Amino acid sequence: MRTLDNAIVTCAVTGAIHVPTMSPYLPITPDKIVEEAVVAADAGASIVHLHVRDPETGEPTSDLELFRSVAERVKDRCDAVIQLTTGGAPTMSVEERTAVVPELEPEMASCNMGSINFGLYPILDAFDEFEYEWETEYLEGSRDLIFPNTFESLEKIIPMFQSYGTMPELEVYDVGHLYNAKHFVDRGILETPIHIQFVMGIHGGISADHDHLLHLVDTAEKLFGDDFSYSVIGAGRMQMALGTTAVNMGGNARVGLEDSLYIRKGELAESNAQQVEKMVELTREVSGRDVASPEEGRSFLGLKGQDNVAF
């Protein structure tokens, strides 16, 4: 496993579902997304992971002009690595989700390494009221929804990333996705070293607990040796716990309102920056590591730099 002396902290700025009593701070408008990203970077995030939303309805969108508007303004105001999503929403086509790469040529973008059931419907049992009309149907529809990332689509997507100089962050939702990555490495389609994001706690993927994280890292070491680095998402209540475990093991962590609405048990986070600040503090106190600057992150990951993007 490749390690950096300092830990990379990623902040995923935009949330998914809007419960009036639970998510008053989620950014929807381009202005608010930009502001949250910049403040998260100021708080210590090396990378900001960005989705965009329809500013009127809050619905996930792949609108390239919205992506450009947000990315340009974040770039103008901070030096964080801008990592754009190609996950979008499970209801979008692969082509729709990934169009942002040839359009904006970012330094880095997410790249989902396999298909999974993506069940958001349990949220319906927890809350009676949502802010937007589309949300109930969207959640209910996830009972019969596959998030498609097939071998055929990955055969096209991975070379596309490379042709635009965009590093794929490999989103691994379960152990089998590591073997998918190994398959593409062995075929010479995916270049090493790779950077993996272990996405833990999605209903349909691997659960968010420490034993599973150890198993994922151990499996990656067997498959890739010293040719990988990793970060961890602990969706929901395990965000800080798994992030702390990861940085203590030499890995990296992702926080942000996309993954959890809380700063601690029973207390809603007031901003993305508040979660970043807590992860920075935990990293220093628990692991003895500091937090990587954007330039340290770029150098470690081999990114092309802000001057070479198309926004």
Side-chain angles (χ1 to χ4, degrees):
M1 181 180 76
R2 300 177 67 237
T3 61
L4 181 63
D5 287 344
N6 297 331
I8 296 170
V9 174
T10 298
C11 184
V13 170
T14 46
I17 298 298
H18 299 76
V19 181
T21 58
M22 293 288 290
S23 50
Y25 309 112
L26 285 175
I28 289 297
T29 65
D31 289 348
K32 184 62 174 174
I33 292 170
V34 170
E35 188 62 33
E36 286 285 303
V38 171
V39 177
D42 290 343
S46 320
I47 300 171
V48 289
H49 173 80
L50 301 178
H51 294 244
V52 290
R53 304 282 171 177
D54 183 306
E56 298 298 323
T57 68
E59 196 165 2
T61 180
S62 58
D63 187 302
L64 295 175
E65 288 310 308
L66 279 178
F67 266 117
R68 180 177 295 281
S69 171
V70 169
E72 285 180 344
R73 287 187 283 162
V74 174
K75 177 188 170 189
D76 286 344
R77 293 180 55 187
C78 70
D79 64 350
V81 176
I82 297 170
Q83 181 195 95
L84 302 180
T85 184
T86 68
T91 51
M92 297 176 185
S93 70
V94 174
E95 292 75 19
E96 187 180 1
R97 290 192 277 119
T98 58
V100 70
V101 173
E103 178 71 19
L104 296 183
E105 303 178 28
E107 292 183 78
M108 198 175 195
S110 58
C111 181
N112 299 281
M113 287 309 296
S115 303
I116 62 165
N117 294 329
F118 206 105
L120 297 172
Y121 64 88
I123 299 173
L124 290 167
D125 297 328
F127 304 104
D128 297 322
E129 184 182 359
F130 297 92
E131 188 167 344
Y132 298 107
E133 291 183 3
W134 61 270
E135 293 178 299
T136 301
E137 182 179 353
Y138 178 75
L139 293 170
E140 183 61 43
S142 71
R143 291 181 192 273
D144 188 29
L145 178 69
I146 295 172
F147 182 33
N149 299 283
T150 65
F151 288 115
E152 182 177 34
S153 66
L154 287 166
E155 285 173 346
K156 299 173 183 177
I157 293 167
I158 295 169
M160 178 183 71
F161 272 77
Q162 293 170 348
S163 67
Y164 290 100
T166 298
M167 182 173 188
E169 178 186 77
L170 308 183
E171 310 301 311
V172 167
Y173 294 81
D174 218 329
V175 180
H177 293 177
L178 289 171
Y179 288 89
N180 294 352
K182 176 64 171 172
H183 167 76
F184 287 108
V185 168
D186 288 346
R187 290 177 59 190
I189 294 174
L190 183 60
E191 297 177 355
T192 56
I194 59 175
H195 184 66
I196 300 166
Q197 181 77 265
F198 293 128
V199 187
M200 306 180 69
I202 301 299
H203 186 48
I206 199 165
S207 65
D209 69 52
H210 296 280
D211 288 344
H212 287 325
L213 175 56
L214 296 176
H215 179 51
L216 287 167
V217 174
D218 183 57
T219 302
E221 287 180 334
K222 290 175 181 175
L223 293 175
F224 305 112
D226 293 330
D227 282 336
F228 83 99
S229 56
Y230 77 92
S231 180
V232 173
I233 296 169
R237 68 182 183 86
M238 293 299 288
Q239 182 185 73
M240 295 296 171
L242 284 180
T244 303
T245 298
V247 298
N248 214 30
M249 293 167 58
N252 308 283
R254 181 173 117 170
V255 296
L257 294 177
E258 179 178 337
D259 305 327
S260 174
L261 297 177
Y262 288 87
I263 189 65
R264 60 183 54 85
K265 185 176 180 179
E267 183 180 341
L268 293 172
E270 296 182 4
S271 66
N272 286 282
Q274 187 184 27
Q275 291 187 347
V276 172
E277 289 167 355
K278 183 170 182 178
M279 192 69 248
V280 168
E281 181 180 358
L282 288 168
T283 297
R284 290 170 175 160
E285 290 191 1
V286 177
S287 74
R289 300 168 72 192
D290 209 332
V291 174
S293 68
E295 281 310 307
E296 287 177 304
R298 284 187 176 91
S299 177
F300 176 71
L301 295 170
L303 304 183
K304 63 184 178 180
Q306 278 191 335
D307 292 340
N308 297 303
V309 300
F311 56 88

